[in-house]
């Protein structure tokens, strides 16, 4: 799970046309533990998928047809691992560029013997554009992305109108975009973006945020914030026909 103080999010980079575009992360270095290194070495050949040039047949990858969720920026992977272990009847795809986090998740997958989780260790926007077929995901999760607090950095936030449209194209009708943040101004900003994004319905009864869904595990980061009196805001938007 992407935690707002440590993990990949958006940055600008020049493309071939010399125009700037939004990427889904900022690369951050980190020390590698023995377990994380083991996860990378042993888990990469089994569970890390290459960036493809055409939509991937995930029924073939997982060997079945099942409800499928994708999480952008899973951080150290604790929540994604817990969700995959709790729902063996579902398939999960995680995207993260933070190498220690990828290693930690893979080590957990190996330790628990999970078969319903695959990983991309590259830019999530590239994964969505190149690997995910339209109308194929049941759920997309974005938990605790970097809010880029300063106004001049708001353009670096991953939640933008273009992101909402890209996600909508990849969700099935009735599919869910589930976002969570521990910074209330970012929750308000997300609502501003999503409330005018075409083709979505806010699932909150009050048109704002939903109560914390039971399927989203509480992280140590979140528990620490709760003890300090910090809030967490969950947003759920359903793709309409």
């Amino acid at each position: 799970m992407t935690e707002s103080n440590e993990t990949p999010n958006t940055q600008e980079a020049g493309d071939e046309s010399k125009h700037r575009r939004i990427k889904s992360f900022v690369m951050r270095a980190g020390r590698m533990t023995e377990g994380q290194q083991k996860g990378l070495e042993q888990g990469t050949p089994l569970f890390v998928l290459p960036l493809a040039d055409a939509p991937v047949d995930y029924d073939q990858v997982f060997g079945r047809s099942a409800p499928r969720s994708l999480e952008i920026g899973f951080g150290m992977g604790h929540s994604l691992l817990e969700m995959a272990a709790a729902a063996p009847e579902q398939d999960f795809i995680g995207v993260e560029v933070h190498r220690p986090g990828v290693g930690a998740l893979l080590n957990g997958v190996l330790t628990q013997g999970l078969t319903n989780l695959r990983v991309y260790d590259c830019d999530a926007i590239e994964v969505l554009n190149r690997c995910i077929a339209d109308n194929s995901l049941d759920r997309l999760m974005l938990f605790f992305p970097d809010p880029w607090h300063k106004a001049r950095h708001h353009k670096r936030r991953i939640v933008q109108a273009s992101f909402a449209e890209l996600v909508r194209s990849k969700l099935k009708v009735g599919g869910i975009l589930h976002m969570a943040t521990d910074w209330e101004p970012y929750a308000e900003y997300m609502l501003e973006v999503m409330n005018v994004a075409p083709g979505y319905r806010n699932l909150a009864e009050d048109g704002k945020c939903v109560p914390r869904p039971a399927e989203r595990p509480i992280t140590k980061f979140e528990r620490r914030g709760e003890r300090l009196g910090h809030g967490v805001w969950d947003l759920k938007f359903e793709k309409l026909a």
Side-chain angles (χ1 to χ4, degrees), residues 41-55:
E41 292 174 356
Q42 298 184 12
T44 295
L46 299 172
F47 303 108
V48 175
L49 301 176
L51 191 61
D53 292 322

Side-chain angles (χ1 to χ4, degrees), residues 2 7 9 12 22 27 30 32 62 66-67 71 89 95-96 100 143 146 159-160 172 184 189 191 194 204 208 217:
T2 299
T7 49
N9 286 282
E12 293 177 328
I22 296 296
M27 189 70 78
M32 195 80 67
F62 288 99
E71 181 178 0
E89 76 284 0
V95 186
E96 179 61 78
F143 299 154
D146 193 324
V159 180
Q160 308 275 354
K172 297 177 180 178
E184 188 172 14
Y189 166 85
L191 283 171
M194 295 304 302
K208 295 182 180 179

Side-chain angles (χ1 to χ4, degrees), residues 118 191 198 210 223-224:
R118 296 295 186 275
L191 283 171
V210 299
R223 289 193 183 97
R224 184 171 65 246

Side-chain angles (χ1 to χ4, degrees), residues 13-33:
D15 60 16
E16 294 179 356
S17 64
K18 297 184 181 180
H19 290 288
R20 289 184 173 184
R21 67 181 179 88
I22 296 296
K23 297 186 75 174
S24 69
F25 64 90
V26 165
M27 189 70 78
R28 291 188 171 97
R31 292 184 178 182
M32 195 80 67
T33 67

Side-chain angles (χ1 to χ4, degrees), residues 196-210:
V196 297
Y200 284 103
R201 178 173 72 92
N202 190 340
L203 295 184
E205 292 183 1
D206 63 358
K208 295 182 180 179
C209 297
V210 299

Side-chain angles (χ1 to χ4, degrees), residues 34-45 102-108 110:
E34 183 177 341
Q36 292 163 0
Q37 188 62 44
K38 175 186 175 182
L40 287 173
E41 292 174 356
Q42 298 184 12
T44 295
V102 174
L105 177 69
L106 292 175
N107 189 44
L110 291 166

Side-chain angles (χ1 to χ4, degrees), residues 154-169:
H154 286 184
K155 61 187 176 183
R156 298 184 178 183
R157 291 172 169 175
I158 189 170
V159 180
Q160 308 275 354
S162 58
F163 174 76
E165 175 58 26
L166 176 59
V167 171
R168 190 177 71 86
S169 71

Side-chain angles (χ1 to χ4, degrees), residues 107-127:
N107 189 44
V109 170
L110 291 166
T111 300
Q112 297 189 37
L114 301 182
T115 60
N116 62 332
L117 200 159
R118 296 295 186 275
V119 176
Y120 286 98
D121 57 359
C122 48
D123 178 22
I125 302 302
E126 290 296 313
V127 172

